[in-house]
Amino acid sequence: MHKQYFIALIFLLSQFNFAQAPKKPSSAEIYESIQKLNFLGSVLYVAAHPDDENTHLISYFANDVHAQTAYISLTRGDGGQNLIGSELRELLGVIRTQELVQARKIDGGIQYFSRANDFGYSKHPDETFEIWDKEEVLSDLVYVIRKFQPDVIINRFDHRTPGTTHGHHTASAMLSVEAFDLAANSSAFPEQLKKFSTWQPKRLFWNQSWFFYGSQEKFEKADKTNLFVMDIGSYYPTLGLSNSEIAAKSRSQHSSQGFGATAVRGSAMEYLEPIKGGKPQNNVFEGIDTSWNRVKGGKAIGEILSKVEKEFDFTNPSKSVPELIKAYQLILKLEDKHWRKIKLEEIKNIIYHCSGLFLEAVAKEPYTTVGRNADVKIEAINRSDLSIKLNEIQLEKLNKDLKPNQAYHSDRTLVSSAFLKPTSPYWLEEKGSLGMYKVSDEKLIGLPEAPPPYSVLFNLNILGQDFHLEKPVVYKYNDPAKGETYKPFVVLPEVSVNVEEKVLIFGNENTQRIPVKIKSFVENLNGNLSLKAPDGWKISPENQEVILNAKGEEKTFWFEVNPPKNQSEGELIPQLKVGIGTYENQLIEINYDHIPEQKVLLPGSAKLVKIDIEKKGEKIGYIMGAGDSVPENLRQIGYQVEIISPQNITAENLDRLDAVVLGIRAFNVIPELKFKNKILFEYVKNGGNLVVQYNTSRDVLTEEVAPFPLTLSRDRVTDENSEVKFLDKNHPVLNVPNKITSKDFEGWVQERGLYFPDNWSKEFTPILSMHDKGEAPMKGSLLVAKYGKGYYVYTGLSFFRELPEGVPGAYRLLANILSLGK
């Protein structure tokens, strides 16, 4: 019977992605790692969002210069749109976080974040800083600079041009310019100095590009005498890839934003404007010693590693191990804590891979639950002729000689730590604000994700030198189609509790039957389920007994919810009492092929909304665009919604519908609409009602998005509280069947709308006027045109954000739009 071993939550600072198969580098990749080991310099790239980073530059510095290269995205991209699914807000931020992690694994960079929440588009950094806590975001940036110690900082955006681009963009550059000096000031954020020392970067650049000038032609004519110019179109023979090929593959990880990229090989120029530290003549590290001579006692290390690099045997990397161990022993004695930590981790991994070692800890099940142990299978194998001994596994003495190509296997039980929590994105564990995530554990600040919950410590002796290697516990299984498949090993709560509909709209006083889904992750779960509602709402029954006998078993429990007579909003909270504990959270799984599977714990509650709403018409056809939840929201208020695929857009299928709605960005993402739009317009001409939601002004697949001339723009109103004026108070869309008032525009979230048309023909009637502070009124947010017997409506109002949030006025206005002509 095996002993039980305690395992604590270990905060690994490496960029190991524990959801994928362990990296098994080729000799060429090991050689590249040795070259990187011989370079002591670092670059930090700074911008606001996932996708802002220049992957060409990151790849160049990581793979050509061999510098420590990092990207800090101040936000996780939570406020954007999703081209691959319906996840928005927090869940979209989880997806984009992982896309950045995958991108860095390809281009060789390191990923950081601040606690800033991407609340949506802002036109000016002043607006951004009204919502972000500027001091906290600045603190995070200074924290990362002190931790990473970059010699060079590169901003994606210009700090001197507020109001010319996304407010987040300019804000990121402004904060970077400020942090450049503050990081060296011991009076700034002194609490950080308990862990890190002050640090002064040497140079700060702005990474210019043609798109800041409006066109390639304008950029070519611009004066570049003050710019430092670099050709980064390198080709790496040992990898068989050019820099642009690596960068394009990295860029293509941003699938949720549709940023797949094709490499353009050959010479490629990048332009850096010096902001602080002056303009170098030859390279950005000019005047900075990036050799081992940079650190006291480093000269001897550099000499050894230069020899290793020169004599590296691609057919037998293990020949380098004796010299690498000599260098390792000298690195252990370095006084410079920063480079000692970095280079120890690097050289240890190189020795591990040169030795042909394979160490793995695989869980027998895909998850465990809080308070329960984890059973794992251990594998250790030495695939070289080196003398390697396995001294310990998780403090158990073994003194096992690992003979060449003879695998060692054993089983272990890892005992749960009392501090172990369910696996979930750490920045979502606490309630934050509109502009900031709350992270109480400072050790997590800046990291893309929390470390894996379980790791196994291997103590080995290689040629007389002891090494401690930590391997995260993974889950591995054989997929009949894909073969060996890895997934994250996670810790789950005992049970998931979820009100399935996230917004419950009550348009009258009728009772609704509400399903609550319970899923158990343990055996023999017994509990009592109830729903907590605001005053005035009635729930029946008061509680129900829950019995689930098997792991993974799911049951749905039904409750009747009766609304109050008057308008009311509140939260419906499921509460499952099991023993002395109460569970209120649901487990959400995010599963896409390009990122590791994600488990996210969020409140299992739903928003209750009692509104006065009427509608005309019943059958709605919905043509999905880039992804939204509007069809489900429409069903909430009693519509029969049918999803129509592009190939099924025919006159016969449309004529039986009371209205047809195009999802967001449909004319950007559905090629068939270039040919099917005539059928849609004919449907309107024959008496139908067509509602087209926003499309971006770029990448429109056809200019004919309407039966009359209509020009899209980038106009938008980002202030969700901006005043809305009615331009045609008597128009049916403001009066039938619901009387729309200014009160219906209260409580909107993130924005009023986006990509409004700025030119339209006389057939269109503009309904609303709105604008952001300091701007002229915009009249293109809602346009209605009579065409034949029917109505065509184009709207940039953000219904796709408002309906999932249960904004009453958005439901009432959309019901009027859908009721036109009925």
Side-chain angles (χ1 to χ4, degrees):
M1 184 170 182
H2 296 290
K3 295 180 181 179
Q4 292 185 323
Y5 297 93
F6 173 82
I7 178 74
L9 180 61
I10 299 165
F11 290 95
L12 302 176
L13 298 180
S14 68
Q15 297 295 310
F16 182 80
N17 182 342
F18 59 92
Q20 296 181 320
K23 188 173 183 180
K24 303 167 187 174
S26 65
S27 292
E29 290 169 316
I30 294 173
Y31 179 72
E32 293 287 330
S33 297
I34 293 172
Q35 290 183 309
K36 191 179 188 74
L37 188 60
N38 266 327
F39 191 92
L40 279 70
S42 51
V43 177
L44 178 65
Y45 201 87
V46 181
H49 310 105
D51 88 336
D52 285 345
E53 82 275 26
N54 184 339
T55 56
H56 290 81
L57 262 186
I58 291 174
S59 176
Y60 174 78
F61 281 115
N63 298 297
D64 193 302
V65 181
H66 297 111
Q68 293 283 318
T69 309
Y71 172 49
I72 179 167
S73 173
L74 295 190
T75 76
R76 296 176 184 267
D78 328 68
Q81 285 82 52
N82 184 1
L83 295 185
I84 59 174
S86 61
E87 295 91 352
L88 292 174
R89 290 303 310 147
E90 294 92 346
L91 296 180
L92 179 58
V94 173
I95 291 172
R96 292 190 173 179
T97 293
Q98 290 301 318
E99 288 177 339
L100 274 181
V101 171
Q102 295 305 305
R104 297 295 80 78
K105 288 184 71 64
I106 290 168
D107 60 35
I110 299 168
Q111 185 62 50
Y112 292 110
F113 291 94
S114 84
R115 289 170 289 175
N117 190 339
D118 179 5
F119 57 84
Y121 192 87
S122 64
K123 295 178 178 177
H124 197 281
D126 289 349
E127 179 189 347
T128 300
F129 291 134
E130 287 176 3
I131 299 175
W132 285 357
D133 185 322
K134 180 183 176 182
E135 198 68 7
E136 276 199 356
V137 183
L138 183 60
S139 168
D140 290 353
L141 186 51
V142 169
Y143 182 87
V144 168
I145 291 173
R146 288 171 171 173
K147 174 182 178 179
F148 185 65
Q149 294 190 9
D151 299 302
V152 176
I153 296 178
I154 302 174
N155 292 342
R156 170 78 284 187
F157 301 103
D158 187 359
H159 65 288
R160 300 158 297 191
T161 55
T164 60
T165 182
H166 195 327
H168 295 184
H169 291 168
T170 310
S172 72
M174 294 169 69
L175 290 170
S176 179
V177 171
E178 195 170 347
F180 182 88
D181 293 321
L182 283 180
N185 185 346
S186 59
S187 299
F189 312 112
E191 68 282 355
Q192 296 178 4
L193 302 180
K194 296 174 184 177
K195 189 171 183 181
F196 302 112
S197 61
T198 57
W199 179 253
Q200 180 60 69
K202 305 301 186 295
R203 292 192 178 92
L204 175 66
F205 296 97
W206 168 36
N207 182 199
Q208 288 202 22
S209 177
W210 67 264
F211 55 75
F212 292 109
Y213 290 76
S215 70
Q216 187 73 49
E217 183 181 5
K218 290 180 181 179
F219 185 56
E220 288 174 359
K221 294 178 181 178
D223 180 12
K224 303 184 186 66
T225 54
N226 66 323
L227 304 184
F228 179 71
V229 184
M230 305 164 58
D231 187 347
I232 63 168
S234 306
Y235 173 67
Y236 310 125
T238 54
L239 301 178
L241 293 169
S242 67
N243 190 64
S244 64
E245 287 172 311
I246 295 173
K249 188 176 180 182
S250 172
R251 182 74 171 173
S252 297
Q253 299 308 299
H254 296 298
S255 298
S256 66
Q257 301 184 71
F259 283 150
T262 299
V264 178
R265 282 154 286 276
S267 179
M269 297 301 176
E270 284 289 343
Y271 302 86
L272 302 178
E273 179 185 342
I275 304 299
K276 288 177 179 284
K279 179 183 174 182
Q281 296 301 310
N282 299 308
N283 69 79
V284 299
F285 289 100
E286 196 169 85
I288 304 168
D289 191 346
T290 57
S291 73
W292 275 100
N293 292 329
R294 178 172 191 162
V295 295
K296 183 180 178 182
K299 182 180 179 181
I301 300 170
E303 291 173 352
I304 294 171
L305 293 178
S306 294
K307 180 183 177 184
V308 169
E309 184 177 337
K310 184 178 180 180
E311 298 178 356
F312 183 74
D313 187 342
F314 285 85
T315 64
N316 187 4
S318 65
K319 287 182 179 179
S320 298
V321 171
E323 292 298 308
L324 286 168
I325 288 177
K326 288 180 184 177
Y328 175 83
Q329 291 167 342
L330 292 176
I331 294 173
L332 279 171
K333 300 174 183 177
L334 287 178
E335 295 178 11
D336 188 310
K337 294 179 181 179
H338 176 72
W339 285 113
R340 182 179 66 202
K341 182 177 181 180
I342 291 172
K343 294 305 177 181
L344 276 179
E345 191 64 28
E346 284 184 12
I347 196 169
K348 190 160 60 173
N349 284 329
I350 292 170
I351 291 170
Y352 172 74
H353 292 303
C354 282
S355 300
L357 271 168
F358 181 81
L359 305 174
E360 190 171 70
V362 178
K364 295 181 180 179
E365 296 188 67
Y367 66 86
T368 187
T369 53
V370 173
R372 288 174 169 78
N373 302 332
D375 293 324
V376 300
K377 293 182 177 180
I378 303 294
E379 179 180 355
I381 186 169
N382 168 21
R383 294 170 294 182
S384 73
D385 292 327
L386 297 174
S387 172
I388 301 177
K389 181 177 288 188
L390 182 57
N391 289 336
E392 296 177 357
I393 298 179
Q394 208 62 31
L395 305 181
E396 180 191 11
K397 300 288 185 182
L398 291 176
N399 295 319
K400 170 76 176 176
D401 286 323
L402 293 180
K403 296 180 180 179
N405 225 26
Q406 299 294 313
Y408 168 82
H409 296 98
S410 69
D411 294 335
R412 292 289 187 279
T413 296
L414 306 180
V415 177
S416 175
S417 164
F419 303 103
L420 206 57
K421 298 180 293 187
T423 302
S424 189
Y426 71 84
W427 63 94
L428 298 179
E429 291 179 0
E430 301 176 80
K431 186 173 179 59
S433 64
L434 174 61
M436 298 297 298
Y437 285 117
K438 183 178 180 182
V439 181
S440 297
D441 189 343
E442 68 172 23
K443 293 189 292 295
L444 294 172
I445 291 175
L447 296 180
E449 56 189 335
Y454 284 96
S455 295
V456 170
L457 184 64
F458 294 84
N459 185 347
L460 299 108
N461 185 284
I462 303 175
L463 300 181
Q465 175 63 48
D466 288 340
F467 291 91
H468 298 282
L469 291 169
E470 214 152 25
K471 293 295 178 181
V473 174
V474 295
Y475 176 66
K476 181 173 68 175
Y477 66 98
N478 183 67
D479 183 285
K482 301 176 182 178
E484 185 178 67
T485 302
Y486 284 79
K487 283 190 176 183
F489 177 69
V490 295
V491 178
L492 302 182
E494 287 189 333
V495 64
S496 171
V497 187
N498 180 28
V499 180
E500 292 194 82
E501 296 289 348
K502 290 294 133 186
V503 179
L504 300 170
I505 304 296
F506 290 76
N508 50 46
E509 296 177 33
N510 294 340
T511 297
Q512 291 188 27
R513 292 186 75 229
I514 305 302
V516 180
K517 181 177 287 186
I518 307 295
K519 183 173 183 178
S520 176
F521 301 106
V522 296
E523 295 176 344
N524 302 319
L525 181 87
N526 293 277
N528 191 277
L529 177 65
S530 61
L531 295 180
K532 182 181 178 182
D535 292 342
W537 294 77
K538 296 178 181 179
I539 310 295
S540 178
E542 290 186 2
N543 55 71
Q544 298 187 52
E545 184 181 15
V546 174
I547 300 176
L548 297 174
N549 295 320
K551 282 185 182 181
E553 185 178 354
E554 286 183 300
K555 279 188 181 179
T556 299
F557 296 82
W558 293 86
F559 290 83
E560 290 188 347
V561 178
N562 185 256
K565 291 183 179 180
N566 301 322
Q567 184 161 313
S568 173
E569 293 183 46
E571 195 173 10
L572 185 68
I573 304 173
Q575 296 183 325
L576 178 64
K577 293 185 178 180
V578 179
I580 61 173
T582 300
Y583 294 89
E584 298 179 353
N585 289 335
Q586 63 171 314
L587 181 72
I588 300 170
E589 296 184 4
I590 300 176
N591 200 353
Y592 292 101
D593 287 341
H594 70 300
I595 60 174
E597 186 177 272
Q598 298 296 299
K599 310 284 188 184
V600 185
L601 276 177
L602 291 177
S605 57
K607 184 175 183 179
L608 289 172
V609 183
K610 168 64 167 61
I611 57 175
D612 297 321
I613 187 169
E614 295 182 21
K615 59 185 180 63
K616 294 186 177 182
E618 298 292 335
K619 297 180 180 179
I620 307 296
Y622 203 92
I623 300 168
M624 295 299 296
D628 58 66
S629 63
V630 172
E632 290 80 4
N633 303 136
L634 291 176
R635 292 185 183 109
Q636 277 282 306
I637 55 174
Y639 283 108
Q640 300 172 31
V641 183
E642 177 185 338
I643 304 297
I644 300 175
S645 62
Q647 58 266 32
N648 288 331
I649 300 175
T650 65
E652 293 77 16
N653 285 336
L654 301 185
D655 286 345
R656 56 192 171 80
L657 300 170
D658 295 310
V660 174
V661 181
L662 268 63
I664 59 173
R665 298 174 69 173
F667 279 107
N668 297 125
V669 299
I670 305 177
E672 292 90 339
L673 287 184
K674 185 175 182 179
F675 312 103
K676 298 283 188 174
N677 54 358
K678 301 293 192 302
I679 299 174
L680 292 169
F681 302 155
E682 193 66 22
Y683 160 74
V684 177
K685 193 174 183 179
N686 292 332
N689 186 358
L690 178 64
V691 182
V692 179
Q693 297 181 82
Y694 95 91
N695 292 269
T696 62
S697 55
R698 285 188 293 185
D699 301 321
V700 182
L701 298 170
T702 173
E703 294 182 1
E704 295 182 86
V705 299
F708 304 113
L710 181 75
T711 304
L712 303 181
S713 76
R714 297 183 65 82
D715 289 351
R716 63 201 301 162
V717 175
T718 62
D719 182 0
E720 61 268 29
N721 299 310
S722 62
E723 182 184 4
V724 178
K725 294 182 179 180
F726 298 162
L727 299 174
D728 189 344
K729 295 181 180 180
N730 297 320
H731 196 284
V733 79
L734 294 177
N735 294 278
V736 182
N738 305 289
K739 179 68 175 177
I740 303 299
T741 70
S742 59
K743 189 174 179 61
D744 287 299
F745 289 93
E746 295 177 0
W748 283 50
V749 300
Q750 188 160 327
E751 62 194 351
R752 289 293 189 203
L754 61 170
Y755 293 99
F756 300 160
D758 60 357
N759 276 295
W760 51 85
S761 66
K762 60 182 177 60
E763 287 83 2
F764 285 102
T765 300
I767 306 298
L768 305 172
S769 172
M770 58 187 71
H771 63 91
D772 282 319
K773 183 179 178 180
E775 295 187 349
M778 297 179 186
K779 300 179 179 180
S781 63
L782 179 58
L783 302 173
V784 181
K786 194 81 168 65
Y787 181 56
K789 299 177 182 179
Y791 285 89
Y792 172 93
V793 178
Y794 189 95
T795 179
L797 294 171
S798 59
F799 288 113
F800 73 103
R801 295 197 190 281
E802 312 312 319
L803 299 189
E805 294 294 329
V807 177
Y811 277 91
R812 286 164 48 83
L813 179 57
L814 185 55
N816 280 16
I817 293 172
L818 295 173
S819 299
L820 282 169
K822 302 296 180 292

